[in-house]
């Protein structure tokens, strides 16, 4: 017989996974709208944020209620406190997806600055990071989580590279400036999304192993 | 006080208590040994089943044994139903108000009133007041108005009544309130609660209490001294129903009784010294009888205590 | 005290206390309490020792009257019928409102006889019927698997937690609509407690449950509604999560955060 | 993973899930249990009510009968006793003026109810009773309390199983047997040991009576000490007390009321004991302070004289007065003991 | 006598306040280094972040321990769960201050793009928001908290305005581009800092009133 | 079982159990337990009912020997001296290792006499001395203010929580070094429990405290170290926060998250 305690935890988990999948979709759609210059899709992303926000509040409330009513300990407690942080991160990721989408809308009105090559690559990496961090959470897979935060530096590097490249574009032609700045901000948003995935991955390690890897550099080996 | 001194004290006083307990046991054993060694010689079938002869210096003690058993049975019949139902009424039905408290206290205390006082009451009330009164009403001289087994048994019944009530009440009260509440909560009526929950739980307590009180009654002498015991009665207190020839115990007859027999033989018999063996023999029979009752109560209690665990 | 539901009117009221006061002699143990117990919900009553929790729930099936010299004011409506009306059949009332007590108190009989006790009181003697009822009750109280092979053994041999489940089975055997529980876990160890708590959460599908506890965590875990009683007065009554995360009254907050007294 | 963005149908409600009773599961056989029970009860509810009524009345009758008889004892005893005051001058219950050998009028306390001018002084009887009861109480207090302590605190469970019933058996010996043994054996031993003038004297009686009340005191003391919660013992050991210190400073003080009560009850029994004193004390109504002299107790007086008195005469009433007095004394002692015990119960929160 | 429970809560509170004040200083220093073109001060800000991170971990642990050991309820529970979120926000604010400082270092090497007017103004508003949100937390002052999130829109507006202004600068002269992009990012960081203050202010309302004001728009009146 | 301290070696070991086994007759209640109790720390022992918690702590002051037919293997070192050595004076051992029990058990004497009981055993009869000791102990047990005006009243009149504090005062009066507490709050209501818990946290400044509880939350709240006992074996022993947020062993985790058994 499943305990009511576990049932309730299960519901919370399901909600978290749902929220995560909504975020994943939002990010995917934002990136897609950028690449395909699809302002309608971008608008959809912006709209969908309301649901994410509502879900965040719901999950937060569930966490607090669970703490109040069930007094979880050990792994359950870590799961709850991490959930609070994870929703926070997810919500920020959702906002960032919205921010991207918001920049896509003016961008898609204007001619394409240049064929996008690096940005989609960066977007793909970021997306897999998001997906993997969520999978790691769902499956309590610390290996996968570790791989997520090891990829973060790649994203950072690409962000720098794209930044410099776009600077060059701007210098070449002032007409590019607005669009380039938008793109710079978009890459920055992608970079932030990767950061938040990293945070989630760190929380996964914390939930499962009770080890804090945040702020520790990512060179921690299995003990 | 030094620790060493404290330890010596410890050993000494524990030893003292132990030796006191063993002293008491030793006395008991001494009594038993004395009675058995002095009494066992006269015990044989004819002693047990013959009437006394030769001014009670010879023969058996059968009428006394018979009388003792009869009066005990009669006492049980009179005392137990009244005592148990009174106890049930008092604990389960009567309120715990002031009057109830007074009644309970009186009953409790009556259990400690000397048996001779009951004897006094037995003579004054049963024989003289009730018996004579009935005789007067019926116009028969001296049918009820003289010492008789009925009056002796009534007196004994009265003596053990408080004992039975108290021990029954105790047994009933030891049934946890929560059990009662549970039964009520299942929709039981008062009698259903008593019948199905309280009595089964209290049964062993009630029974042991009853046996102990019977044994107390069986060994008592003072209350029957003047209410029905006969000094010497060569016949049994039996009355044969005419025509059908079925003998029944006659409760209006006098009777011989073991303890009274001992008392008489030891203090007022014509030749105290010569009848010593008979006295010891009778004593042995009496002790055996009461011990049997006591022992059964004790075994009963141990058995039930073990089972209820 | 009316509770505001999120979705108003979804719950059906099973029991209503209406201005209930309860006196032991001159002592007022319950002071003008009005509240509702909802069908198929667990309602917990919390409060410090001696605040009148037991008295409150015992006044629902009128078990509190077993003690003499008590007096009741106000109404207790069970399905809108005042249980203190003259024409109420106490036996039937107590069948409909079952009760489980603080310490496990099985009768010193066999497990079977314990459960069959109630039905037999009502004159059910058909062996097959009884068997069915016993099995049904024991299954519901999550004890069947543990005892099905020794129904004829004494109930005293069971562990504390099993005994308490047996007491629950015994109460279920008369098919009550309401279950009153007076600190049912306070004599049990944590493992047995957890079992009973699980059971309560299962049972609420079928029964309206009122539970007294002075373990706040327990109230928090198992109940849907919680009432806070103090000196016989109902200080606050609300949805459990609200009481424990955001009580209205200062004194409730003080009590549940341990800053009371 | 492919999630549908639109399908977020979480509940935003904070209200517990509401269901109505799953009555489907309540069905049982062909009907619900509750219906079955209600039906079944309907069938015999009237019979049950009548039964209930009759039984209550029967029990009530039993209770009343018991109470009635008990009330009768009070009333009858005192009624007959009070009559004595009308037949005999109250002062005579203390003593009368008689002429001594030198023909001086002296105030003497004598119990000589037979004869022309019966003397009804209760003083020698009271003295006799107490001369037996006090030494008996002292002896049995020492031994009884010792036994009680041993049983409750020192004996191992196995030894206790044997010793306790043995001591109870001692209580089960009919008093007439003890009286008989005192008369035949003990009196001789005592005379040889103390070279007393009277073979049968108060001391012999006291020893005999002790045998009866030692088990009473031991048993009640044992109960009282065992009622002392084990936690107190543990606490005492935990503070470093030895076993005897624990017994003497914690257990006995905690159970002291029970012990006291047992002594008082024992004393009551001693005062009321009849057969032993009749047989062992010599039955001479002397005014004396010497435990080795013969005495006549109140109980013995009744036992010896009641057989041969005419109903309603002064001696008859005087005996009832003695009986009432005895009743009164033991009643008060019992009451005191009970109060003490109930106070102890409260004290130990039993 | 103060309860140990309250003592422990007090310690937690003290740590939170300390962390907040460290963040306040970091932000102030970052802004000061920008205005005064003081790369040493900027470097100091970057270095100080390590302490903030350590303190964040410490507070997080304290919160989890407190949940595990003390089973707080009602206001205490809200305080703890909010603390978890507040440290998260504070830590992000610290990171953003570091991000600002990191951009100040290259900026201070180059000549000034233009006299900074709007950015210091925006910085000041942001700083007061930070300060007020922390004060609101310390004093459980919901009024002040409310005022914080009411100021957020001002900051957003200034961010937009500065963004547009800097775009113009860039178009005027490609030489400005790098510096302007840095400044754009700095204002964006400031805007984020203001957002995080807003979050803290929202948590304060939650702690005190158990009312969730997040995602609800900031037009909630006193009920 | 050695515990890794946050700051290694800072704690001083007060009591060491070294391969302790304890038998009731043939039944092994404690099975080869090795652990350390640190000076001025609260060590909690948790575990399911019957796992041997009480037996474990009672074996430290050898109160467990009051029961007949017990047998001990291994060592219990108090300040590096084995308390099971032949030459150990039980009286002195029990003075140094005080004990507080599950139900409050004041002697049915006056409050003063309760506290003075211990010192008097040791021959302190000087009234002024005793007064001082009594006041000191009552102050330490946070009871002085409540009882200072009625020292001569019976201790039985105190409330449960006060009685338990009195028992603590009584134990303190012989100036012990170690305090053993066997579920000291299990008979108390939540308010009184909170008081005692506060007191324990205060007392640990002066005493080494070992407390048995089957309330995990309580262990969590008041102890510095926690040991988890199961079937007489010490499964895990560590700093309390570690046990409750991140236990090493699966079975410990199961127990504290309620997934056990
Ligand atoms: N039979 C009774 N007679 C007189 N007063 C009573 C009786 N039962 C309870 N009381 C008093 O009524 C008040 C409420 O008692 P109740 O048993 O309902 O409290 P409670 O909240 O259940 O306490 P606890 O948590 O200790 O069980 C208490 O002050 C108590 O002393
Ligand atoms: N005096 C005794 N004689 C025989 N066995 C005993 C005795 N005392 C305890 N035991 C057994 O030893 C085991 C451990 O008992 P102990 O009292 O130490 O458990 P515990 O962990 O304190 O349990 P609880 O939480 O119920 O107090 C139990 O199985 C118990 O049955
Ligand atoms: Mg109660
Ligand atoms: Mg224990
Ligand atoms: O607020 P952030 O998304 O930059 O963490």
């Amino acid at each position: 017989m499943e305990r009511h305690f576990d049932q309730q935890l299960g519901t919370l988990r399901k909600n978290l996974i749902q929220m995560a999948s909504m975020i994943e979709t939002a990010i995917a759609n934002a990136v897609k709208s950028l690449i395909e210059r699809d302002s309608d899709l971008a608008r959809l992303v912006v709209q969908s944020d309301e649901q994410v926000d509502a879900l965040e509040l719901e999950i937060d409330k569930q966490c607090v209620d669970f703490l109040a009513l069930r007094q979880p300990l050990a792994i359950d407690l870590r799961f709850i406190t991490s959930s609070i942080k994870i929703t926070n991160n997810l919500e920020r990721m959702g906002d960032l997806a919205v921010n991207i989408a918001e920049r896509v809308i003016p961008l898609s009105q204007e001619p394409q600055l240049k064929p996008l090559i690096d940005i989609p690559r960066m977007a793909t990496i970021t997306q897999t990071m998001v997906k993997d961090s969520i999978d790691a959470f769902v499956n309590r897979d610390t290996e996968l989580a570790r791989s997520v935060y090891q990829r973060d530096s790649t994203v950072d590097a690409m962000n720098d590279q794209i930044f410099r490249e776009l600077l060059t574009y701007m210098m070449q032609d002032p007409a590019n400036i607005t669009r380039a700045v938008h793109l710079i901000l978009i890459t920055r948003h992608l970079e932030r999304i990767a950061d938040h995935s990293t945070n989630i991955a760190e929380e996964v390690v914390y939930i499962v192993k009770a080890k804090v890897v945040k702020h520790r550099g990512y060179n921690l080996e299995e003990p | 006080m030094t620790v060493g001194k404290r330890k010596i004290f410890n050993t000494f006083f524990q030893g003292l208590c132990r030796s006191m307990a063993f002293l008491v046991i030793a006395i008991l054993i001494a009594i038993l040994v004395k009675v058995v060694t002095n009494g066992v010689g006269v015990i044989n079938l004819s002693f047990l089943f013959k009437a006394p002869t030769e001014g009670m210096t010879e023969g058996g003690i059968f009428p006394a044994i018979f009388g003792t058993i009869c009066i005990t049975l009669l006492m049980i019949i009179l005392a137990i139903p009244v005592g148990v139902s009174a106890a049930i009424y008092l604990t389960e039905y009567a309120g715990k108000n002031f009057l109830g408290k007074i009644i309970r206290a009186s009953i409790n205390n009556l259990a400690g009133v000397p048996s001779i006082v009951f004897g006094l009451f037995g003579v004054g009330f049963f024989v003289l007041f009730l018996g004579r009164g009935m005789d007067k009403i019926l116009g028969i001289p001296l049918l009820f108005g003289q010492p008789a087994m009925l009056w002796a048994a009534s007196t004994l019944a009265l003596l053990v009544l408080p004992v039975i009530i108290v021990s029954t009440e105790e047994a009933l009260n030891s049934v946890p309130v929560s059990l009662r509440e549970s039964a009520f909560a299942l929709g039981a009526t008062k009698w259903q609660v008593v019948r199905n929950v309280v009595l089964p739980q209290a049964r062993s307590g009630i029974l042991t209490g009853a046996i102990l009180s019977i044994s107390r009654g069986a060994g008592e002498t003072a209350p029957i001294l003047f209410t029905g015991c006969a000094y010497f009665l060569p016949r049994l207190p039996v009355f044969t129903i005419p025509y059908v020839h079925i003998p029944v115990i006659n409760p209006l007859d006098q009777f011989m009784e073991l303890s009274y027999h001992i008392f008489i033989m030891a203090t007022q018999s014509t030749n105290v010294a010569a009848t010593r063996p008979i006295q010891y023999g009778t004593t042995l029979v009496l002790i055996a009888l009461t011990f049997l009752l006591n022992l059964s109560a004790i075994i009963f209690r141990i058995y039930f205590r073990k089972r209820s665990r | 005290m009316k509770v505001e539901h999120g979705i108003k009117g979804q719950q059906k009221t099973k029991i209503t206390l209406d201005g209930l006061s309860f006196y032991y002699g001159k002592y007022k143990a319950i002071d003008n309490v009005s509240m509702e117990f909802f069908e198929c919900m667990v309602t917990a009553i919390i409060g410090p020792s001696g605040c009148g929790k037991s008295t409150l729930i015992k006044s629902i099936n009128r078990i509190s009257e077993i003690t003499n010299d008590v007096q009741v004011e106000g109404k207790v409506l069970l399905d809108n019928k005042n249980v203190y009306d003259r024409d109420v059949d106490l036996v039937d009332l107590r069948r409909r409102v079952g009760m489980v007590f603080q310490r496990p108190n099985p009768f010193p009989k066999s497990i079977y006889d314990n459960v069959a006790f109630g039905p037999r009181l009502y004159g059910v003697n058909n062996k097959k019927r009884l068997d069915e009822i016993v099995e049904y009750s024991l299954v519901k109280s999550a004890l069947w698997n543990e005892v099905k092979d020794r129904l004829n053994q004494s109930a005293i041999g069971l562990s504390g937690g099993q005994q308490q489940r047996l007491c629950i089975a015994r109460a279920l055997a008369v098919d009550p609509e309401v279950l009153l529980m007076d600190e049912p876990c306070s004599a049990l160890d944590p493992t047995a407690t957890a079992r009973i708590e699980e059971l309560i959460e299962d049972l609420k599908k079928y029964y309206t449950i009122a539970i007294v506890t002075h373990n706040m965590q327990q109230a928090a875990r198992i109940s849907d509604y919680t009432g806070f009683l103090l000196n016989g007065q109902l200080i606050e009554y609300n949805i459990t999560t609200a009481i424990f995360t955001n009580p209205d009254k200062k004194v409730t907050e003080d009590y549940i955060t341990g800053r009371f007294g | 993973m492919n999630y549908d963005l639109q399908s977020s149908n979480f509940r935003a409600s904070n209200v517990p899930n509401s269901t109505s009773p799953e009555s489907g599961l309540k069905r049982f056989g062909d009907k619900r249990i509750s219906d079955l029970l209600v039906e079944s009860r309907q069938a015999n509810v009237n019979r049950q009510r009548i039964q209930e009524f009759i039984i209550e009345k029967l029990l009530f009758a039993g209770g009343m009968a018991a109470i009635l008889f008990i009330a009768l004892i009070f009333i009858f005893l005192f009624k007959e006793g009070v009559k004595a005051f009308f037949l005999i001058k109250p002062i005579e219950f203390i003593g009368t003026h008689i002429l001594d050998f030198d023909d001086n009028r002296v105030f003497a306390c004598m119990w000589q109810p037979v004869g022309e001018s019966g003397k009804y002084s209760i003083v020698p009887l009271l003295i006799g009773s107490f001369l037996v009861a006090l030494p008996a109480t002292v002896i049995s207090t020492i031994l009884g309390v010792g036994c009680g302590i041993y049983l409750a605190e020192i004996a191992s469970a196995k030894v206790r199983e044997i010793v306790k019933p043995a001591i109870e058996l001692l209580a089960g010996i009919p008093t007439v047997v003890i009286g008989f043994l005192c008369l035949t054996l003990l009196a001789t031993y005592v005379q040889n040991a103390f070279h007393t003038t009277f073979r049968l004297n108060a001391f012999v009686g006291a020893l005999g009576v002790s045998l009866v009340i030692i088990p009473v005191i031991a048993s009640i003391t044992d109960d009282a000490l065992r009622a002392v919660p084990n936690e107190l013992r543990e606490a005492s050991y935990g503070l470093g007390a030895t076993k005897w210190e624990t017994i003497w400073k914690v257990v006995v003080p905690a159970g002291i009321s029970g012990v006291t009560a047992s002594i008082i009850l024992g004393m009551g029994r001693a005062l009321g004991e009849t057969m032993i004193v009749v047989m062992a004390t010599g039955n001479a109504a002397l005014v004396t302070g010497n435990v080795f002299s013969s005495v006549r107790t109140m109980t013995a007086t009744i036992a010896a004289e009641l057989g041969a008195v005419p109903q309603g005469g002064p001696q008859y009433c005087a005996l009832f007065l003695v009986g009432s007095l005895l009743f009164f004394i033991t009643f008060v002692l019992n009451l005191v003991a009970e109060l003490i015990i109930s106070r102890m119960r409260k004290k130990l929160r039993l």
Side-chain angles (χ1 to χ4, degrees), chain B residues 67 70-79 118 121-123 125-128 130-132 134-135 138 143-159 223-224 226-230 237 249-256, chain D residues 69:
Chain B
C70 285
I71 193 174
T72 308
L73 285 177
L74 203 52
M75 172 191 83
I76 292 171
I77 292 169
L78 291 173
F118 283 92
F121 176 76
V123 175
F125 181 75
F126 287 125
V127 181
L128 299 179
L130 211 58
R132 294 263 160 91
M134 280 161 76
D135 283 349
L138 296 174
L143 176 63
F144 292 101
Q146 60 174 347
M149 187 187 291
L150 177 64
W151 304 136
S154 301
T155 311
L156 276 186
L158 218 50
L159 173 81
I224 55 172
F226 315 110
T227 49
C229 262
I249 297 165
N250 180 1
L252 294 180
D253 206 344
Q254 291 201 327
F255 60 98
M256 290 181 73
Chain D
F69 274 111

Side-chain angles (χ1 to χ4, degrees), chain B residues 242-284:
Chain B
Y243 310 117
V244 284
H245 301 288
I246 300 170
V248 290
I249 297 165
N250 180 1
L252 294 180
D253 206 344
Q254 291 201 327
F255 60 98
M256 290 181 73
E257 207 262 357
L258 283 170
S259 56
Y260 186 63
H261 192 61
I262 296 168
F263 171 59
I264 293 298
M265 303 279 281
T267 57
Q268 287 156 47
S269 115
T270 39
N271 188 348
V272 174
T275 57
R276 271 286 133 80
I278 297 185
Q279 294 165 21
Y280 274 108
T282 315
T283 307
L284 181 55

Side-chain angles (χ1 to χ4, degrees), chain A residues 68-115:
Chain A
L69 305 186
R70 299 280 175 177
Q71 284 89 38
L73 284 172
I75 193 168
D76 302 326
L77 176 59
R78 298 198 300 272
F79 175 72
I80 298 290
T81 53
S82 292
S83 293
I84 294 175
K85 294 193 195 161
I86 288 176
T87 48
N88 221 4
N89 280 302
L90 284 175
E91 193 265 343
R92 274 300 299 147
M93 286 156 90
D95 282 359
L96 290 163
V98 170
N99 290 349
I100 292 174
E102 282 169 351
R103 304 218 172 260
V104 167
I105 297 169
L107 271 181
S108 57
Q109 252 62 306
E110 299 185 32
Q112 190 145 12
L113 177 65
K114 60 150 205 163

Side-chain angles (χ1 to χ4, degrees), chain D residues 320-336:
Chain D
F320 267 88
L321 185 68
V322 172
S324 303
L325 185 62
L326 201 52
F327 186 103
F328 180 75
I329 293 173
T330 49
F331 202 91
V332 167
L333 286 177
N334 288 331
L335 209 63
V336 170

Side-chain angles (χ1 to χ4, degrees), chain A residues 95-163:
Chain A
D95 282 359
L96 290 163
V98 170
N99 290 349
I100 292 174
E102 282 169 351
R103 304 218 172 260
V104 167
I105 297 169
L107 271 181
S108 57
Q109 252 62 306
E110 299 185 32
Q112 190 145 12
L113 177 65
K114 60 150 205 163
L116 296 174
I117 297 169
D118 279 342
I119 293 185
R121 268 218 307 141
M122 182 178 173
T124 316
I125 297 179
T126 306
Q127 262 179 282
T128 55
M129 281 175 72
V130 171
K131 192 175 163 342
D132 286 351
S133 69
I134 289 164
D135 283 354
F137 168 72
V138 172
N139 304 320
R140 305 206 160 171
D141 183 342
T142 49
E143 269 319 304
L144 193 59
R146 202 182 309 275
S147 85
V148 169
Y149 51 76
Q150 277 157 356
R151 270 174 279 169
D152 191 45
S153 42
T154 322
V155 174
D156 285 353
M158 291 181 80
N159 183 33
D160 276 3
Q161 190 204 322
I162 296 172
F163 181 72

